[in-house]
Amino acid sequence: MIETEQAQGPLRRAWLPARAPRAATVTVIWGVAYAAFGLVCALRGVPLFAFGGARTSPVLDWAVVAAGALAALGCAAAMRYGPRPWLRALLWTACGLSGVAAFSLLMDLITLLVGQSVDSRPAAANHAMAATGALLLAATVRTRHTSAGGNSPPPSPAPQGSRMAAAWAGTAAFLPYIAMKTFWALGGTFAGVSKEEMLAVSERNGAPEVWLTLESWGLDVTVLLAALGIFLLWGLVRPWGQVFPRWTLFLHGRQVPRWLPLGPGLIGAATLAPYGMLGIGYCTLATAGVVTMRPGDFHTTQDALLVAWIGMSAFAVYGIALAAAARSYWLRTRPAGPARRPHGPHAG
């Protein structure tokens, strides 16, 4: 038994280096807090997955309790027993569940950014806590590849090919959306709706004064957000996303914190990709006449469908491109561990 514990010692240290226990401990605390949050809401009948005010199944609220408990127990077991395959699978499962629960977090952030209120505060809090947990769980599992003395690799661009193509595709996908919004802001009429009607819709939806003022000046806020999204996309695939470039003035030459681009990149991908894909599916059904799309703020169903196709296509393609770029950045910025000792007949 002593030999077994001695054999497990180096293996456990390889999976949980100096900074790994800290990440695992924080994840355990998050899991307990998330489970408690879900339990209180479930017992009080507060929906955590309310969409547009519609009450979803209470089973989903209890799933939050299960996900938090699973994460806390999994991380505690990993700290005690080391890199067991079933524990890693358990943590990745909890990470996936948390990522699903964080769906639409980006929409909540954009809604708050423009001064409007979210549909449900408990649901928005759930999205934020779930996203935090997904990042913590991923960081806890991935620390097995790092060491206390690991160094950050030198800045490098994403490999030419699929990932760079994804960056160009994500940029191009937003161009029709940006053109449509800019055309409206500059006074044009598109899909049967004029600039004045769009301003009236924004005001009716509770847009803040700053939003309305910028639109009246010909500058749409969503265009600025799209531009920021494109900036993030290219930062994930270019070297200046790892080291601050010359135009950042006093930050020039300093290393970019790894999670500064990765955090919004992963959240954006997890939100926009499924949102856009579901939207494209709905638009396809509406185009085929299987379902009927309500006109909403537009004069006809066809006008609403046209705008929906432009928006959902942009979100879907950009979301997928952002996922590919974030994965590339994750792999390229992993701290380099110590050289492994060779094995086999030629070792030594």
Side-chain angles (χ1 to χ4, degrees), residues 27 30-31 34 63-64 66-75 86-102 129-138 141:
T27 308
W30 168 85
Y34 190 52
V64 169
L70 187 68
L73 293 174
C75 283
W86 64 272
L87 279 176
R88 293 192 60 240
L90 189 69
L91 292 178
W92 279 124
T93 300
C95 181
L97 291 174
S98 299
V100 172
M129 292 185 69
T132 302
L135 296 177
L136 286 173
L137 284 162
V141 179

Short mmCIF file of all heavy atoms in Angstrom, two decimals, residues 27 30-31 34 63-64 66-75 86-102 129-138 141:
data_model
loop_
_atom_site.label_atom_id
_atom_site.label_comp_id
_atom_site.label_asym_id
_atom_site.label_seq_id
_atom_site.Cartn_x
_atom_site.Cartn_y
_atom_site.Cartn_z
N THR A 27 -12.70 26.06 -7.85
CA THR A 27 -13.78 25.37 -8.56
C THR A 27 -14.69 24.64 -7.58
O THR A 27 -15.92 24.60 -7.77
CB THR A 27 -13.20 24.38 -9.58
OG1 THR A 27 -12.27 25.06 -10.42
CG2 THR A 27 -14.31 23.80 -10.46
N TRP A 30 -16.85 27.24 -6.09
CA TRP A 30 -17.88 27.63 -7.06
C TRP A 30 -18.97 26.56 -7.15
O TRP A 30 -20.16 26.88 -7.19
CB TRP A 30 -17.27 27.82 -8.44
CG TRP A 30 -18.32 27.94 -9.50
CD1 TRP A 30 -18.99 29.06 -9.89
CD2 TRP A 30 -18.87 26.86 -10.27
NE1 TRP A 30 -19.92 28.75 -10.85
CE2 TRP A 30 -19.87 27.42 -11.11
CE3 TRP A 30 -18.62 25.48 -10.35
CZ2 TRP A 30 -20.60 26.64 -12.00
CZ3 TRP A 30 -19.35 24.72 -11.23
CH2 TRP A 30 -20.32 25.29 -12.04
N GLY A 31 -18.59 25.29 -7.19
CA GLY A 31 -19.57 24.21 -7.31
C GLY A 31 -20.55 24.21 -6.15
O GLY A 31 -21.76 24.04 -6.35
N TYR A 34 -22.81 27.27 -6.55
CA TYR A 34 -23.74 27.12 -7.66
C TYR A 34 -24.86 26.13 -7.31
O TYR A 34 -26.03 26.36 -7.62
CB TYR A 34 -22.99 26.64 -8.90
CG TYR A 34 -23.79 26.67 -10.18
CD1 TYR A 34 -24.45 27.83 -10.57
CD2 TYR A 34 -23.86 25.55 -11.00
CE1 TYR A 34 -25.18 27.87 -11.75
CE2 TYR A 34 -24.57 25.59 -12.19
CZ TYR A 34 -25.23 26.75 -12.55
OH TYR A 34 -25.96 26.78 -13.72
N ALA A 63 -31.40 20.57 -12.31
CA ALA A 63 -30.17 20.21 -13.04
C ALA A 63 -29.02 21.13 -12.64
O ALA A 63 -27.84 20.73 -12.66
CB ALA A 63 -30.42 20.28 -14.54
N VAL A 64 -29.33 22.38 -12.28
CA VAL A 64 -28.30 23.30 -11.80
C VAL A 64 -27.69 22.78 -10.51
O VAL A 64 -26.47 22.82 -10.32
CB VAL A 64 -28.90 24.71 -11.60
CG1 VAL A 64 -27.92 25.62 -10.86
CG2 VAL A 64 -29.28 25.32 -12.94
N ALA A 66 -27.55 19.66 -9.59
CA ALA A 66 -26.76 18.49 -9.93
C ALA A 66 -25.42 18.88 -10.54
O ALA A 66 -24.37 18.29 -10.22
CB ALA A 66 -27.54 17.60 -10.89
N ALA A 67 -25.43 19.88 -11.43
CA ALA A 67 -24.18 20.30 -12.08
C ALA A 67 -23.21 20.88 -11.08
O ALA A 67 -22.00 20.59 -11.12
CB ALA A 67 -24.49 21.33 -13.18
N GLY A 68 -23.69 21.71 -10.16
CA GLY A 68 -22.82 22.28 -9.14
C GLY A 68 -22.24 21.23 -8.21
O GLY A 68 -21.05 21.23 -7.89
N ALA A 69 -23.10 20.30 -7.78
CA ALA A 69 -22.63 19.23 -6.89
C ALA A 69 -21.64 18.33 -7.61
O ALA A 69 -20.63 17.90 -7.03
CB ALA A 69 -23.83 18.42 -6.40
N LEU A 70 -21.90 18.04 -8.89
CA LEU A 70 -21.00 17.20 -9.67
C LEU A 70 -19.62 17.84 -9.80
O LEU A 70 -18.60 17.18 -9.66
CB LEU A 70 -21.60 16.98 -11.06
CG LEU A 70 -20.90 15.98 -11.98
CD1 LEU A 70 -21.05 14.57 -11.43
CD2 LEU A 70 -21.48 16.06 -13.39
N ALA A 71 -19.60 19.15 -10.03
CA ALA A 71 -18.33 19.85 -10.17
C ALA A 71 -17.57 19.86 -8.85
O ALA A 71 -16.35 19.61 -8.82
CB ALA A 71 -18.59 21.28 -10.64
N ALA A 72 -18.26 20.15 -7.75
CA ALA A 72 -17.59 20.21 -6.45
C ALA A 72 -17.03 18.86 -6.05
O ALA A 72 -15.86 18.75 -5.63
CB ALA A 72 -18.57 20.72 -5.40
N LEU A 73 -17.83 17.82 -6.18
CA LEU A 73 -17.37 16.49 -5.81
C LEU A 73 -16.25 16.00 -6.73
O LEU A 73 -15.29 15.37 -6.28
CB LEU A 73 -18.55 15.52 -5.84
CG LEU A 73 -19.64 15.75 -4.78
CD1 LEU A 73 -20.82 14.81 -5.03
CD2 LEU A 73 -19.08 15.55 -3.39
N GLY A 74 -16.38 16.29 -8.03
CA GLY A 74 -15.36 15.85 -8.98
C GLY A 74 -14.02 16.50 -8.72
O GLY A 74 -12.98 15.83 -8.74
N CYS A 75 -14.01 17.82 -8.46
CA CYS A 75 -12.75 18.51 -8.19
C CYS A 75 -12.14 18.06 -6.87
O CYS A 75 -10.92 17.90 -6.75
CB CYS A 75 -12.98 20.03 -8.18
SG CYS A 75 -13.15 20.75 -9.81
N TRP A 86 -11.82 8.46 -15.17
CA TRP A 86 -13.24 8.68 -14.93
C TRP A 86 -13.48 10.02 -14.26
O TRP A 86 -14.53 10.66 -14.47
CB TRP A 86 -13.82 7.55 -14.08
CG TRP A 86 -13.27 7.45 -12.69
CD1 TRP A 86 -12.17 6.76 -12.30
CD2 TRP A 86 -13.81 8.06 -11.52
NE1 TRP A 86 -11.96 6.89 -10.95
CE2 TRP A 86 -12.96 7.67 -10.42
CE3 TRP A 86 -14.91 8.87 -11.26
CZ2 TRP A 86 -13.19 8.10 -9.13
CZ3 TRP A 86 -15.14 9.28 -9.96
CH2 TRP A 86 -14.29 8.90 -8.91
N LEU A 87 -12.49 10.51 -13.48
CA LEU A 87 -12.63 11.82 -12.87
C LEU A 87 -12.52 12.93 -13.92
O LEU A 87 -13.25 13.92 -13.89
CB LEU A 87 -11.56 12.02 -11.79
CG LEU A 87 -11.86 11.39 -10.43
CD1 LEU A 87 -10.68 11.57 -9.48
CD2 LEU A 87 -13.12 11.99 -9.83
N ARG A 88 -11.59 12.75 -14.86
CA ARG A 88 -11.47 13.74 -15.93
C ARG A 88 -12.74 13.78 -16.77
O ARG A 88 -13.22 14.84 -17.16
CB ARG A 88 -10.27 13.41 -16.83
CG ARG A 88 -8.93 13.57 -16.12
CD ARG A 88 -7.76 13.52 -17.09
NE ARG A 88 -7.88 14.60 -18.07
CZ ARG A 88 -7.97 14.41 -19.39
NH1 ARG A 88 -7.98 13.18 -19.88
NH2 ARG A 88 -8.05 15.43 -20.19
N ALA A 89 -13.30 12.60 -17.06
CA ALA A 89 -14.56 12.55 -17.81
C ALA A 89 -15.68 13.22 -17.03
O ALA A 89 -16.52 13.93 -17.61
CB ALA A 89 -14.92 11.09 -18.11
N LEU A 90 -15.68 13.05 -15.71
CA LEU A 90 -16.70 13.66 -14.87
C LEU A 90 -16.60 15.18 -14.90
O LEU A 90 -17.60 15.89 -15.03
CB LEU A 90 -16.54 13.15 -13.43
CG LEU A 90 -17.66 13.52 -12.44
CD1 LEU A 90 -18.94 12.78 -12.78
CD2 LEU A 90 -17.21 13.18 -11.01
N LEU A 91 -15.37 15.68 -14.82
CA LEU A 91 -15.17 17.13 -14.83
C LEU A 91 -15.51 17.73 -16.18
O LEU A 91 -16.09 18.83 -16.26
CB LEU A 91 -13.72 17.45 -14.45
CG LEU A 91 -13.32 17.14 -13.00
CD1 LEU A 91 -11.85 17.45 -12.77
CD2 LEU A 91 -14.20 17.91 -12.03
N TRP A 92 -15.16 17.05 -17.27
CA TRP A 92 -15.53 17.54 -18.59
C TRP A 92 -17.04 17.53 -18.78
O TRP A 92 -17.61 18.42 -19.44
CB TRP A 92 -14.86 16.73 -19.69
CG TRP A 92 -13.43 17.11 -19.98
CD1 TRP A 92 -12.34 16.31 -19.95
CD2 TRP A 92 -12.96 18.41 -20.35
NE1 TRP A 92 -11.21 17.02 -20.27
CE2 TRP A 92 -11.56 18.31 -20.53
CE3 TRP A 92 -13.57 19.65 -20.53
CZ2 TRP A 92 -10.77 19.40 -20.88
CZ3 TRP A 92 -12.79 20.74 -20.89
CH2 TRP A 92 -11.41 20.61 -21.06
N THR A 93 -17.71 16.53 -18.20
CA THR A 93 -19.18 16.49 -18.26
C THR A 93 -19.78 17.69 -17.54
O THR A 93 -20.70 18.35 -18.04
CB THR A 93 -19.71 15.18 -17.65
OG1 THR A 93 -19.18 14.08 -18.37
CG2 THR A 93 -21.23 15.14 -17.69
N ALA A 94 -19.25 17.96 -16.33
CA ALA A 94 -19.74 19.13 -15.57
C ALA A 94 -19.45 20.42 -16.32
O ALA A 94 -20.25 21.36 -16.33
CB ALA A 94 -19.08 19.16 -14.19
N CYS A 95 -18.29 20.47 -17.00
CA CYS A 95 -17.94 21.66 -17.79
C CYS A 95 -18.93 21.85 -18.93
O CYS A 95 -19.38 22.96 -19.21
CB CYS A 95 -16.51 21.52 -18.32
SG CYS A 95 -15.94 22.91 -19.30
N GLY A 96 -19.28 20.74 -19.61
CA GLY A 96 -20.24 20.82 -20.70
C GLY A 96 -21.62 21.26 -20.24
O GLY A 96 -22.27 22.10 -20.87
N LEU A 97 -22.06 20.72 -19.10
CA LEU A 97 -23.37 21.11 -18.56
C LEU A 97 -23.38 22.60 -18.18
O LEU A 97 -24.37 23.30 -18.42
CB LEU A 97 -23.69 20.26 -17.32
CG LEU A 97 -23.97 18.78 -17.58
CD1 LEU A 97 -24.13 18.04 -16.26
CD2 LEU A 97 -25.21 18.61 -18.44
N SER A 98 -22.28 23.07 -17.62
CA SER A 98 -22.20 24.49 -17.25
C SER A 98 -22.20 25.37 -18.50
O SER A 98 -22.82 26.43 -18.51
CB SER A 98 -20.93 24.74 -16.43
OG SER A 98 -20.95 23.99 -15.24
N GLY A 99 -21.52 24.91 -19.54
CA GLY A 99 -21.51 25.68 -20.78
C GLY A 99 -22.89 25.79 -21.39
O GLY A 99 -23.28 26.85 -21.89
N VAL A 100 -23.65 24.70 -21.34
CA VAL A 100 -25.03 24.74 -21.85
C VAL A 100 -25.89 25.68 -21.02
O VAL A 100 -26.69 26.45 -21.55
CB VAL A 100 -25.63 23.32 -21.86
CG1 VAL A 100 -27.11 23.37 -22.21
CG2 VAL A 100 -24.89 22.43 -22.86
N ALA A 101 -25.71 25.65 -19.70
CA ALA A 101 -26.49 26.51 -18.82
C ALA A 101 -26.16 27.98 -19.01
O ALA A 101 -26.97 28.86 -18.68
CB ALA A 101 -26.27 26.12 -17.36
N ALA A 102 -24.96 28.28 -19.56
CA ALA A 102 -24.56 29.67 -19.78
C ALA A 102 -25.10 30.24 -21.08
O ALA A 102 -24.83 31.39 -21.42
CB ALA A 102 -23.04 29.77 -19.79
N MET A 129 -23.03 32.68 -13.65
CA MET A 129 -22.40 31.70 -12.76
C MET A 129 -22.00 30.44 -13.54
O MET A 129 -20.93 29.87 -13.31
CB MET A 129 -23.34 31.34 -11.62
CG MET A 129 -23.59 32.47 -10.63
SD MET A 129 -24.60 31.95 -9.22
CE MET A 129 -23.46 30.84 -8.38
N ALA A 130 -22.85 30.02 -14.46
CA ALA A 130 -22.55 28.83 -15.25
C ALA A 130 -21.33 29.05 -16.14
O ALA A 130 -20.47 28.17 -16.27
CB ALA A 130 -23.76 28.43 -16.09
N ALA A 131 -21.23 30.23 -16.75
CA ALA A 131 -20.07 30.53 -17.60
C ALA A 131 -18.79 30.54 -16.78
O ALA A 131 -17.75 30.03 -17.20
CB ALA A 131 -20.28 31.87 -18.30
N THR A 132 -18.86 31.13 -15.59
CA THR A 132 -17.70 31.15 -14.70
C THR A 132 -17.27 29.72 -14.35
O THR A 132 -16.08 29.38 -14.38
CB THR A 132 -18.02 31.91 -13.41
OG1 THR A 132 -18.42 33.25 -13.74
CG2 THR A 132 -16.82 31.95 -12.48
N GLY A 133 -18.24 28.88 -14.05
CA GLY A 133 -17.93 27.50 -13.72
C GLY A 133 -17.32 26.73 -14.88
O GLY A 133 -16.40 25.93 -14.69
N ALA A 134 -17.84 26.96 -16.08
CA ALA A 134 -17.29 26.27 -17.25
C ALA A 134 -15.82 26.62 -17.45
O ALA A 134 -14.99 25.74 -17.73
CB ALA A 134 -18.11 26.62 -18.49
N LEU A 135 -15.48 27.89 -17.27
CA LEU A 135 -14.09 28.31 -17.41
C LEU A 135 -13.22 27.71 -16.31
O LEU A 135 -12.09 27.27 -16.56
CB LEU A 135 -14.01 29.84 -17.40
CG LEU A 135 -14.69 30.56 -18.56
CD1 LEU A 135 -14.59 32.07 -18.39
CD2 LEU A 135 -14.07 30.15 -19.89
N LEU A 136 -13.72 27.71 -15.08
CA LEU A 136 -12.96 27.15 -13.96
C LEU A 136 -12.72 25.65 -14.14
O LEU A 136 -11.62 25.15 -13.90
CB LEU A 136 -13.69 27.41 -12.65
CG LEU A 136 -13.66 28.84 -12.11
CD1 LEU A 136 -14.58 28.98 -10.90
CD2 LEU A 136 -12.23 29.25 -11.74
N LEU A 137 -13.76 24.95 -14.57
CA LEU A 137 -13.63 23.50 -14.75
C LEU A 137 -12.64 23.18 -15.87
O LEU A 137 -11.80 22.28 -15.73
CB LEU A 137 -15.00 22.90 -15.07
CG LEU A 137 -15.94 22.76 -13.87
CD1 LEU A 137 -17.38 22.58 -14.33
CD2 LEU A 137 -15.51 21.58 -13.00
N ALA A 138 -12.73 23.92 -16.97
CA ALA A 138 -11.79 23.70 -18.06
C ALA A 138 -10.36 23.99 -17.62
O ALA A 138 -9.43 23.24 -17.93
CB ALA A 138 -12.17 24.57 -19.26
N VAL A 141 -9.03 21.11 -15.34
CA VAL A 141 -8.66 19.89 -16.05
C VAL A 141 -7.40 20.11 -16.89
O VAL A 141 -6.51 19.25 -16.92
CB VAL A 141 -9.82 19.41 -16.95
CG1 VAL A 141 -9.41 18.16 -17.71
CG2 VAL A 141 -11.05 19.12 -16.10
#
